[in-house]
Amino acid sequence: MKTLLVYYSRTGMTKKIAKMIQSKINCDIEEITDNNKYSGKLGFLKGGMNASMGRTSKINSITKNPSDYDLIIIGTPVWASNIATPIYTYLMKYNKEFKKIASFCTCMSNGYEKTLENISKLTGKKQISTMFLTSEDIGNPEEKIDIFINKIK
Ligand SMILES: Cc1cc2nc3c(=O)[nH]c(=O)nc-3n(C[C@H](O)[C@H](O)[C@H](O)COP(=O)(O)O)c2cc1C
């Protein structure tokens, strides 16, 4: 199955998991960024506000066409119990082009159910696999990743 993993990561957690998944399933990968750094306290507040209000932002141009892939894996940090703004924007722009979808999110401790649910709602698709990783899982994510990947294969 031709697979593209699309992720955003502000501080590297989601990126770490994305790279681990890529090394296990040999998929293409696309990092989404936008023109906001979301740094410092103000950045944190802005990110939380944008995510909870469902705002979009200006994201970088994509290098991989999602319609070329059988499966899109979405990776996002949880922001205010929701999809991080750059990934929300990507989903709003391109979800009509997805065939199959799976997703994962990273978070401190909560908000992951709503985040994963919102990805299903937004894409209008039942996901073939989902996964969340809290700060407790991040140090040892192998087992969860393997379960996530096994459902995709
Ligand atoms: C704006 C903002 C809002 C956040 N909201 C939540 C939240 O609702 N629940 C939670 O457990 N963690 C929350 N976090 C923490 C991140 O989800 C967590 O640190 C994540 O692993 C960061 O991923 P990254 O390093 O890929 O950016 C929030 C972080 C930011 C920046």
Side-chain angles (χ1 to χ4, degrees):
M1 191 153 44
K2 198 173 174 203
T3 303
L4 174 66
L5 194 165
V6 181
Y7 74 95
Y8 166 80
S9 187
R10 174 176 162 266
T11 52
M13 293 304 164
T14 313
K15 183 173 194 154
K16 173 184 159 176
I17 304 302
K19 294 282 178 189
M20 286 177 79
I21 295 171
Q22 186 191 28
S23 73
K24 286 173 184 268
I25 64 169
N26 186 29
C27 58
D28 287 345
I29 197 158
E30 174 120 79
E31 180 172 13
I32 302 299
T33 55
D34 73 8
N35 49 356
N36 293 299
K37 284 204 172 64
Y38 303 106
S39 57
K41 270 192 187 151
L42 270 182
F44 187 95
L45 287 174
K46 184 178 181 181
M49 184 88 92
N50 285 356
S52 60
M53 295 181 75
R55 287 188 184 140
T56 54
S57 61
K58 191 168 165 32
I59 56 172
N60 60 299
S61 348
I62 55 168
T63 61
K64 310 269 190 298
N65 184 349
S67 61
D68 291 342
Y69 294 85
D70 305 308
L71 171 68
I72 305 292
I73 302 176
I74 297 292
T76 181
V78 173
W79 279 9
S81 301
N82 215 334
I83 307 161
T85 301
I87 288 295
Y88 178 75
T89 306
Y90 178 87
L91 292 173
M92 291 292 281
K93 273 183 110 165
Y94 300 109
N95 82 78
K96 298 279 178 295
E97 296 173 32
F98 301 170
K99 295 179 184 95
K100 289 186 175 147
I101 175 165
S103 72
F104 68 93
C105 61
T106 70
C107 63
M108 283 305 286
S109 58
N110 58 49
Y112 48 83
E113 299 102 330
K114 197 178 149 231
T115 301
L116 296 171
E117 222 176 86
N118 282 347
I119 293 174
S120 299
K121 275 190 198 157
L122 207 83
T123 57
K125 288 197 163 40
K126 189 170 163 19
Q127 304 194 57
I128 63 170
S129 188
T130 58
M131 167 176 73
F132 66 87
L133 296 145
T134 65
S135 56
E136 281 184 14
D137 300 318
I138 285 289
N140 191 15
E142 288 276 349
E143 201 182 321
K144 276 194 160 184
I145 291 177
D146 288 343
I147 294 169
F148 177 70
I149 285 171
N150 277 338
K151 290 193 198 146
I152 284 168
K153 281 178 188 161

